[in-house]
């Protein structure tokens, strides 16, 4: 197996294609990465900027290139020794029927579609009107209003009737086509003659359509007959309409007649009757909250869940992917959102088996020359039995204390756990407590973090994801009716209890399967049940006992009273688990993180409002665990999903070191900007909480500038637009004053005016004169934080990833801000000049980002030159005599190779918030790191400066002085010579 040493993430789209990536490979090699890591490459929705809305698994995305382009990219990657890690989306598909042939077939044929079982559709919902139908909540208004305005129009296209709704085109059940085309058919027969060839042909086609199996037929022979009949009839009708002007005119007249006339409501009766007979029910988009009957990706109606547990679905969706693996074009896979799958464990095992089969086939066919056998680095210790023979990562968000399941045949997560641990190292734990008190004083927000998360999850279940909860509650009610001990529970009481348990869920989901529940699953469920009971003391306790029994079904043959209902319980547990993941994600990451904004740098994907700061000991402990269990796990810093770029977070973290000074400045800015508040009569817009968030976002996103440079009188227009866009999204996500569903235009307009006025209005000069100098001080310390974080990621166990463009400063905000085009030409030119640039010049001109690129380049190249040291090397924490909280150090050792990493932290706190030379601080003059005895006489080569450093030996103890290690560069990687 090819194991990456360091990866570089790129976002492919029509603006950055396979060809663009191929031209970038020399640069990536020179930067020091070993593998390119890209967004999905299969056919996505037209114009997709990210590729996660896949619409066809059988072909490459034509907007990023064809097979020839991919082959050229592979050749370029191989020529530079790089592999290709590709993102794959197994959980869902985009369901635009114009590009997704499977979904189009489902809408056309309902349960009789051969693809009906591909999607997770409930064909037997409680609402009788939705039986054997898919709810399509796509209308911008109530169905009747849309219909009678004439916005729903039949069209005849290539032998079939279609329904047009603005830019959407939906199929019409072909069996119902005769209802339209038989209108006026007698008149056509009278005019042309009943025995006219075209009339007879048209009648015969309509008879075939009317006699085809109904859309409710689900037996295989009926499905095949329906497919054959409709396709044959469509081709015949298309040919007839092309050759016969009379038939074509008849069809057009019938369509016009059915389409109705705006202003005449009764003229739409026929169209309404026709639409009522379709395999879908059109509805106002808001109805999705309560009645959607297909599983979605989170609450996105345009992304439908796939039944990947069905072997036919697995085979159809993975065929091209496995072909590319076998051919050697793909050397690794990143699996998107596996927590949405019915049974993630079974899916991982199926993928590992399929990959092993293809790898064997590839080797037998000589595919090793295309990339399988180059740069082989076996993980140490070995991965679990049955582990995938292809480097495989999962986008798994781990809760506090949660560990990746060791039985999974994967190589680790995409690195949010490492991201949050390293970021939290730079949040000052003691001063964060003071910041919390000051935050409460300024904003009045006093809700404890657990309550914020709990409330946010309940909000999601009451609104955007209410339909799925209703389905779960009804399923649970049916189970309760089968047991006399629990049949008295009402549907409403079960729904309330389920909501409480899910709102108290401490992790994304459990992984109960047909094999039963693990100890981890039991612990998670018990925690949720216990918390739910505590929060609901008046709720009947036995209802929670019942829910626990259902969520933790016994193993086969267990001697319990519910063993005979085990299959039903397992099925419910699977559906429950698919629901908790999006509720937690949307409730915590996309709601609570925009509500409790004490320190937004800590509110990151996979973060925990209750655990914003981490100790050095926790950092070391996680590294040791990763080395032991998941040595090839990715360690990320920024991704396409992070709430803000790594360097923006590093700046904002400094606020935790200077809480009192921050509170003083925020109060001053609030006074200066008071006149910008409440425009257009909107009371309290923005409120204090949103204002506190805004100032932090400004600190993180403000352009890098040297200390002492003239303060601008106003911000640049593009920056103002970015900040206004960010605040608009932040307000909607917080769901306190406005939301995506129920917009409060007055509040949003007031917030935009506040941003524009504070940055470019009459008071902008006063505000920026106060804000910018303080921001520059925070940014200077943030720069040091950034370099420390970078070196920790590269030196620690795992595979470090660099998000596109982040080799320079990444001050981006949440998407779409973090998916902007990258100036790779400028980066190429900068990288080429780095070796001849004096270190002092890069440090002095730190705002241009060369200091970061240089640190990354030197550390990645060293890592690539010593892969065994980083992929397999032992990890040993190092510390000073008094466990100095301002220094983090560790050793990596493999055979005769050893490296010592030393980085500073909390420099703003140590230096009183005044930028300068850290080494000049009194406390560091003799601060040292105790080295192992084996290094007593070692000479250490600084990877960044090429300087030799010698330990100080005192009383048989070897010490590395911090001032010596960091004398010429802010961070150190010391190679033992």
């Amino acid at each position: 197996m090819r194991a990456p040493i360091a990866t570089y993430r790129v976002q492919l789209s029509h603006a950055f294609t396979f060809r663009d990536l191929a031209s970038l490979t020399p640069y990536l090699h020179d930067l020091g990465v070993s593998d390119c890591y890209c967004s999905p490459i299969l056919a996505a929705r037209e114009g997709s900027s990210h590729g996660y809305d896949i619409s066809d698994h059988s072909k490459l995305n034509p907007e990023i290139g064809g097979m020839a382009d991919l082959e050229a990219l592979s050749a370029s990657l191989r020529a530079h020794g790089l592999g290709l890690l590709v993102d794959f989306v197994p959980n869902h598909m985009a369901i635009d029927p114009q590009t997704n042939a499977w979904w189009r077939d489902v809408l056309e044929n309902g349960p009789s579609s051969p693809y009906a079982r591909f999607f997770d559709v409930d064909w037997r919902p409680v609402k009788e009107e939705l039986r054997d139908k898919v709810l399509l909540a796509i209308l911008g208004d109530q169905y009747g209003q849309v219909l009678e305005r004439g916005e729903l129009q039949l069209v005849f296209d290539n032998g079939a009737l279609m329904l047009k709704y603005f830019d959407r085109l939906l199929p019409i059940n072909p069996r119902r086509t005769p209802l339209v085309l038989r209108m006026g058919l007698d008149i056509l027969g009278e005019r042309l003659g009943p025995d006219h060839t075209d009339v007879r042909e048209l009648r015969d086609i309509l008879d075939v359509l009317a006699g085809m199996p109904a859309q409710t037929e689900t037996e295989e022979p009926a499905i095949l007959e329906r497919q054959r009949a409709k396709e044959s009839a469509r081709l015949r009708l298309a040919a007839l309409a092309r050759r016969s002007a009379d038939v074509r005119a008849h069809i057009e007249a019938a369509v016009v007649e059915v389409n109705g006339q705006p202003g005449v409501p009764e003229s739409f009766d026929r169209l309404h009757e026709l639409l009522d007979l379709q395999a879908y029910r059109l509805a106002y988009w808001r109805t999705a909250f309560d009645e959607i009957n297909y599983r979605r990706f989170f609450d996105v109606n345009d992304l439908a869940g796939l039944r990947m547990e069905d072997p036919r679905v697995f085979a159809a969706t993975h065929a091209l992917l496995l072909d590319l693996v076998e051919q050697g074009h793909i050397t690794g896979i990143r699996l998107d959102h596996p927590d949405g799958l019915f049974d993630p464990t079974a899916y991982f095992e199926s993928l590992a088996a399929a990959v092993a089969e293809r790898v064997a086939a590839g080797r037998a066919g000589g595919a090793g020359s295309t990339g399988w056998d180059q740069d082989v680095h076996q993980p140490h210790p070995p991965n679990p039995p049955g582990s995938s023979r292809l480097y495989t990562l999962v986008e798994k968000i781990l809760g506090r204390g949660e560990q990746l399941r060791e039985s999974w045949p994967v190589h680790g997560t995409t690195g949010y756990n490492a991201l949050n641990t390293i970021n939290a190292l730079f949040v000052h734990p003691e001063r964060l407590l003071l910041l919390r008190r000051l935050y409460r004083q300024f904003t009045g927000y006093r809700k404890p973090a657990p309550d914020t998360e709990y409330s946010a999850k309940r909000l999601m279940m009451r609104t955007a994801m209410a339909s799925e909860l209703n389905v779960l509650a009804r399923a649970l009610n049916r189970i309760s009716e089968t047991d006399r001990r629990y049949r008295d529970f009402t549907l409403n009481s079960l729904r309330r209890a389920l909501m409480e348990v899910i709102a108290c869920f401490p992790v994304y989901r459990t992984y109960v399967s047909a094999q039963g529940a693990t100890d981890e699953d039991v612990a998670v469920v018990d925690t949720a049940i216990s918390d739910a009971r505590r929060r609901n003391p008046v709720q009947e306790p036995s209802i929670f006992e019942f829910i626990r029994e259902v969520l933790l079904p016994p193993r086969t043959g267990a001697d319990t009273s519910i063993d005979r209902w085990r299959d039903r319980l397992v099925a419910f547990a699977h559906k429950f688990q698919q629901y908790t993941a999006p509720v937690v994600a949307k409730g915590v990451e996309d709601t609570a993180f925009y509500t409790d904004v004490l320190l937004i740098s800590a509110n990151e994907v996979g973060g925990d409002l209750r655990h914003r700061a981490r100790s050095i000991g926790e950092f070391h402990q996680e590294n040791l665990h990763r080395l032991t269990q998941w040595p090839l796990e990715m360690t990320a810093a920024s991704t396409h999903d992070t709430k803000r770029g790594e360097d923006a977070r590093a700046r904002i973290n400094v606020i935790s070191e200077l809480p009192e000074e921050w509170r003083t400045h925020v109060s001053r800015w609030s006074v200066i900007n008071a006149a910008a508040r409440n425009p257009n009569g909107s009371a309290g817009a923005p409120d204090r909480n949103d204002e506190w968030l805004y100032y932090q976002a400004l600190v993180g996103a403000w352009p890098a500038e040297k200390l002492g440079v003239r303060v601008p009188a106003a911000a640049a227009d593009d920056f103002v637009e970015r900040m206004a866009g960010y605040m608009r999204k932040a307000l909607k996500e917080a769901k306190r004053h406005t939301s995506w569903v129920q917009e409060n235009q007055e509040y949003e307009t007031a917030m935009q005016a506040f941003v524009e006025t504070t940055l470019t209005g009459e008071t902008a000069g006063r505000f920026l004169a106060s804000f910018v100098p303080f921001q520059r001080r925070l940014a200077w310390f943030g720069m040091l934080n950034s370099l420390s974080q970078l070196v920790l990621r590269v030196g620690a166990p795992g595979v470090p990833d660099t998000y596109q463009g982040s080799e320079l400063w990444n001050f981006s905000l949440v998407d779409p801000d973090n998916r902007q085009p990258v100036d790779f030409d400028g980066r190429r030119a900068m990288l080429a000049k780095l070796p001849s640039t004096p270190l002092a010049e890069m440090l002095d001109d730190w705002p241009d980002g060369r200091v970061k690129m240089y640190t990354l380049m030197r550390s990645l190249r060293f890592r690539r030159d010593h892969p065994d040291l980083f992929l397999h090397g032992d990890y040993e924490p190092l510390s000073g005599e008094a466990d100095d909280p301002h220094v983090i150090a560790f050793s990596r050792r493999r055979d005769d190779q050893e490296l010592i990493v030393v980085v500073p932290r909390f420099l703003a706190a140590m230096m009183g918030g005044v930028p300068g030379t850290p080494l000049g601080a009194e406390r560091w003059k003799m601060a040292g790191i105790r080295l192992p005895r084996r290094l007593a006489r070692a000479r250490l080569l600084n990877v960044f400066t090429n300087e030799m450093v010698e330990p100080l030996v005192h009383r048989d103890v070897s010490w590395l002085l911090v001032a010596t290690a960091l004398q010429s560069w802010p961070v150190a990687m010391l190679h033992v010579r």
Side-chain angles (χ1 to χ4, degrees):
M1 186 196 75
R2 177 193 171 93
I5 304 167
T7 60
Y8 188 98
R9 168 74 181 205
V10 293
Q11 294 292 116
L12 296 172
S13 69
H14 60 88
F16 192 83
T17 66
F18 284 146
R19 293 184 181 183
D20 296 314
L21 182 53
S23 68
L24 193 65
T25 52
Y27 166 75
L28 297 181
H29 175 268
D30 291 345
L31 190 63
V33 302
S34 69
D35 289 72
C36 181
Y37 163 36
C38 68
S39 56
I41 64 175
L42 302 186
R45 186 160 39 194
E46 184 177 355
S48 175
S49 62
H50 47 75
Y52 288 93
D53 40 10
I54 292 175
S55 59
D56 189 342
H57 291 82
S58 68
K59 61 183 181 181
L60 297 172
N61 187 347
E63 294 188 357
I64 63 175
M67 185 56 70
D69 297 312
L70 178 58
E71 290 172 349
L73 170 61
S74 294
S76 181
L77 290 169
R78 288 196 302 273
H80 293 88
L82 273 66
L84 181 63
L85 174 62
V86 168
D87 215 328
F88 183 71
V89 187
N91 175 64
H92 56 269
M93 286 184 76
I95 52 173
D96 179 355
Q98 292 171 256
T99 57
N100 188 329
W102 296 349
W103 185 252
R104 182 170 65 248
D105 199 281
V106 170
L107 297 185
E108 183 180 58
N109 302 293
S112 190
S113 168
Y115 305 105
R117 289 183 56 80
F118 277 43
F119 298 96
D120 207 347
V121 179
D122 181 6
W123 296 105
R124 296 290 187 273
V126 172
K127 186 166 182 173
E128 185 61 30
E129 292 82 358
L130 282 173
R131 186 181 180 90
D132 294 323
K133 292 177 181 287
V134 173
L135 180 73
L136 284 188
I138 62 174
L139 304 182
D141 201 348
Q142 300 291 337
Y143 164 76
Q145 299 294 326
V146 171
L147 177 72
E148 293 177 12
R149 285 198 297 263
E151 294 173 4
L152 298 171
Q153 293 283 291
L154 278 186
V155 295
F156 180 73
D157 180 52
N158 195 28
L161 291 178
M162 307 290 287
L163 182 70
K164 193 173 190 301
Y165 178 61
F166 294 107
D167 59 343
R168 294 178 185 263
L169 206 59
L170 305 174
I172 290 294
N173 179 359
R175 193 167 183 261
R176 302 303 182 180
T177 297
L179 295 179
V180 177
L181 299 191
R182 280 180 176 156
M183 293 170 50
L185 184 55
D186 290 342
I187 297 174
L188 178 66
E190 290 174 3
R191 185 160 58 84
L192 298 182
D195 293 328
H196 191 281
T197 303
D198 293 342
V199 175
R200 289 202 315 271
E201 174 68 356
L202 180 55
R203 290 187 187 279
D204 189 55
I205 292 170
L206 296 180
D207 287 343
V208 169
L209 290 172
M212 64 192 293
Q215 66 190 38
T216 55
E217 296 285 347
T218 57
E219 296 298 323
E220 194 69 23
I223 292 175
L224 293 175
E225 172 58 23
R226 182 181 171 93
Q227 290 286 320
R228 185 203 63 76
K230 76 178 184 67
E231 285 306 307
S232 173
R234 183 186 64 78
L235 293 173
R236 290 171 63 189
L237 188 56
L240 177 61
R242 282 195 299 269
R243 73 170 183 262
S244 173
D246 292 308
V247 170
R248 189 165 60 251
H250 163 75
I251 293 173
E252 292 170 354
V255 166
V256 169
E257 178 69 18
V258 172
N259 278 336
Q261 180 181 346
V264 186
E266 61 271 18
S267 67
F268 292 95
D269 290 349
R270 288 194 182 96
L271 181 55
H272 169 64
E273 291 168 3
L274 178 67
L275 295 182
D276 242 10
L277 296 171
Q278 302 308 306
Y280 51 85
R281 179 184 172 98
L282 292 171
Y284 185 26
W285 63 270
R286 291 179 185 271
T287 64
F289 302 159
D290 295 316
E291 294 186 348
I292 200 81
N293 65 328
Y294 60 87
R295 182 172 59 85
R296 302 165 291 173
F297 172 68
F298 292 175
D299 58 347
V300 183
N301 294 345
D302 289 338
L303 298 175
L306 289 167
R307 297 186 65 252
M308 199 55 68
E309 64 273 16
D310 188 320
R312 294 172 298 176
V313 179
F314 182 92
T317 52
H318 288 71
L320 177 57
L321 178 75
L322 293 171
D323 284 345
L324 298 177
V325 168
E326 181 179 338
Q327 295 160 13
H329 297 306
I330 293 176
T331 57
I333 296 177
R334 181 255 197 200
L335 297 171
D336 180 70
H337 188 53
D339 275 347
L341 297 171
F342 184 78
D343 188 344
T345 304
Y347 170 76
F348 299 146
E349 291 170 350
S350 296
L351 181 61
V355 164
E357 181 179 341
R358 291 303 190 98
V359 170
R363 291 190 186 282
S369 61
T370 66
W372 276 108
D373 290 322
Q374 57 182 16
D375 299 334
V376 175
H377 303 290
Q378 292 297 336
H380 175 76
N383 280 349
S387 179
S388 176
R389 295 176 64 185
L390 180 75
Y391 182 63
T392 306
L393 295 175
V394 292
E395 189 207 23
K396 168 61 186 168
I397 308 300
L398 297 170
R400 183 180 180 185
E402 183 183 14
Q403 300 294 340
L404 195 64
R405 301 298 170 101
E406 294 180 8
S407 61
W408 288 356
V410 300
H411 297 96
T413 73
T414 52
Y416 285 113
N417 45 326
L419 181 157
N420 280 283
T421 296
I422 293 176
N423 179 72
L425 271 177
F426 295 85
V427 175
H428 201 291
E430 292 82 14
R431 298 190 180 191
L432 183 65
L433 298 175
L434 173 58
L435 184 66
R436 166 66 78 179
R437 179 165 60 83
L438 299 175
Y439 168 61
R440 289 173 175 170
Q441 290 174 356
F442 182 83
T443 67
Y445 190 87
R446 301 181 179 279
K447 184 178 289 189
D451 292 350
T452 297
E453 295 183 353
Y454 167 80
S455 298
K457 286 183 277 189
R458 292 185 84 251
L459 175 63
M460 293 308 303
M461 287 185 280
R462 291 198 313 270
T463 56
M465 304 191 72
S467 177
E468 292 90 338
L469 181 63
N470 290 337
V471 171
L472 281 175
R474 292 180 183 115
L476 188 61
N477 186 59
R478 287 193 293 270
I479 293 174
S480 73
E481 290 293 339
T482 65
D483 193 316
R484 61 175 178 258
R485 296 175 300 163
Y486 303 125
R487 74 176 192 178
D488 287 345
F489 295 142
T490 65
L491 175 60
N492 285 338
S493 66
L494 289 169
R495 188 181 187 279
R496 286 194 300 269
L498 268 179
M499 177 184 284
E500 292 303 314
V501 171
I502 296 169
C504 296
F505 235 62
V507 296
Y508 264 48
R509 64 169 285 172
T510 48
Y511 298 92
V512 175
S513 68
Q515 285 69 49
T518 65
D519 291 342
E520 296 96 325
D521 296 326
V522 173
V524 167
V525 171
D526 283 345
T527 296
I529 294 287
S530 175
D531 198 9
R533 292 184 65 170
R534 178 183 60 80
R535 290 181 179 274
N536 297 272
V538 299
Q539 184 84 35
E540 167 62 40
S542 62
I543 200 169
F544 292 114
E545 297 170 10
F546 168 59
I547 291 176
R548 184 183 187 279
E549 282 194 44
V550 174
L551 295 182
L552 300 172
R555 295 178 179 274
T556 302
D559 184 17
T560 75
S561 61
I562 60 173
D563 186 44
R564 60 198 178 102
W565 304 112
R566 184 176 178 280
D567 290 344
R568 181 180 292 185
L569 302 185
V570 170
F572 179 86
H574 277 300
K575 289 298 182 183
F576 176 88
Q577 292 169 151
Q578 285 182 294
Y579 181 64
T580 60
V583 168
V584 174
K586 295 298 293 182
V588 177
E589 294 171 14
D590 291 343
T591 304
F593 281 0
Y594 291 91
T595 305
D596 182 343
V597 293
L598 164 66
L599 190 70
I600 61 174
S601 54
N603 295 7
E604 195 51 84
V605 179
D608 186 345
L609 291 177
R610 295 161 292 183
H611 198 48
R612 289 179 166 100
R614 303 285 177 93
S615 68
I616 294 176
E618 288 176 293
F619 168 71
H620 289 317
Q621 185 177 20
E622 182 173 309
N623 285 336
L624 288 166
H625 174 78
R626 184 179 303 109
L627 178 64
T628 303
Q629 300 297 332
W630 306 102
L632 299 180
E633 181 171 69
M634 185 174 283
T635 55
S638 299
T639 76
H640 60 285
D641 282 332
T642 44
K643 305 300 183 184
R644 53 201 54 83
E646 61 206 67
D647 304 307
R649 288 197 307 271
R651 291 171 161 189
I652 297 168
N653 282 338
V654 180
I655 293 172
S656 72
E657 301 180 54
L658 306 169
E660 292 174 308
E661 192 171 356
W662 169 255
R663 174 65 168 83
T664 299
H665 278 86
V666 167
S667 297
R668 182 180 303 144
W669 301 335
S670 187
V671 171
I672 294 171
N673 294 328
R677 197 176 296 111
N678 306 339
N680 304 322
S682 178
D687 68 12
R688 290 292 190 113
N689 207 56
D690 293 334
E691 192 174 2
W692 182 280
L693 165 67
Y694 171 60
Y695 296 137
Q696 289 184 79
L698 276 182
V699 166
W702 191 263
E705 300 166 330
K706 281 188 176 183
L707 297 166
V709 175
R710 184 178 64 85
V711 175
D717 290 344
D718 60 341
F719 181 79
V720 176
E721 184 178 350
R722 285 180 59 209
M723 292 305 304
Y726 170 75
M727 289 306 300
R728 188 181 310 112
K729 180 168 184 174
L731 296 180
K732 289 179 181 292
E733 296 286 31
K735 305 172 187 68
R736 295 186 307 114
H737 299 292
T738 185
S739 69
W740 299 106
V741 175
Q742 195 70 42
E743 292 186 339
N744 180 343
Q745 287 292 346
E746 187 179 20
Y747 193 91
E748 291 184 30
T749 300
M751 185 73 246
Q752 176 153 343
F754 183 80
V755 172
E756 293 172 351
T757 303
T758 57
L759 297 180
T760 62
E762 292 182 4
T763 59
R766 286 182 59 211
F767 168 59
L768 295 180
S770 173
F771 170 78
V772 171
F774 182 57
Q775 189 279 338
R776 287 173 178 169
R777 288 166 50 206
L778 296 177
W780 188 86
F781 288 108
M783 174 266 295
L784 299 176
N785 281 354
S786 292
L787 299 182
S788 291
Q789 292 177 163
L790 187 159
V791 171
L792 291 179
R793 282 195 310 110
V794 175
V799 177
D801 175 58
T802 301
Y803 182 66
Q804 61 177 27
S806 295
E807 58 271 41
L808 298 182
W809 301 125
N810 181 352
F811 303 130
S812 65
L813 300 167
V814 72
D815 69 279
D817 192 61
N818 61 7
R819 302 180 188 183
Q820 300 300 315
V822 178
D823 178 14
F824 284 115
D825 289 339
R827 283 165 171 76
R828 284 190 187 97
M830 182 179 287
L831 182 64
K833 296 177 181 179
L834 279 185
S836 59
T837 305
L839 300 183
E841 178 184 323
M842 285 188 279
L843 287 170
D844 186 55
D845 293 332
W846 70 266
D848 63 19
R850 286 180 297 173
V851 62
K852 183 181 181 184
M853 178 182 279
Y854 176 80
T855 304
L856 181 67
M857 178 265 291
R858 289 302 297 262
S859 59
L860 287 186
R861 287 185 180 180
F862 183 84
R863 183 181 173 99
R864 185 175 61 192
D865 291 342
H866 303 82
D868 287 342
L869 176 63
F870 290 95
L871 295 182
H872 312 149
D874 294 335
Y875 180 92
E876 182 179 355
L878 302 176
S879 62
E881 188 173 23
D883 291 330
D884 191 338
H886 298 281
V887 182
I888 306 169
F890 58 83
S891 164
R892 300 301 307 277
R893 185 186 183 197
R894 174 75 169 175
D895 298 329
D896 60 345
Q897 293 289 326
E898 187 163 3
L899 178 78
I900 294 173
V901 172
V902 181
V903 304
R905 71 166 185 164
F906 298 159
L907 295 182
M910 186 177 77
M911 300 169 63
V914 180
T917 303
L919 299 178
E922 184 67 28
R923 65 173 299 144
W924 268 14
K925 287 186 177 178
M926 289 302 294
I929 299 166
R930 186 167 185 158
L931 298 178
R933 186 178 298 275
R934 64 179 177 275
L935 299 179
R937 297 289 181 262
R939 301 178 71 236
L940 311 175
L941 177 66
N942 191 316
V943 170
F944 302 117
T945 66
N946 287 323
E947 297 172 333
M948 296 301 299
V949 177
E950 295 189 8
L952 175 67
V953 180
H954 179 65
R955 295 180 179 177
D956 294 329
V957 177
S958 182
W959 295 90
L960 173 63
L961 295 182
V962 174
T964 303
L966 305 181
Q967 61 185 343
S968 302
W969 200 249
V971 289
M973 294 179 71
L974 306 171
H975 190 201
V976 178
R977 305 302 291 266

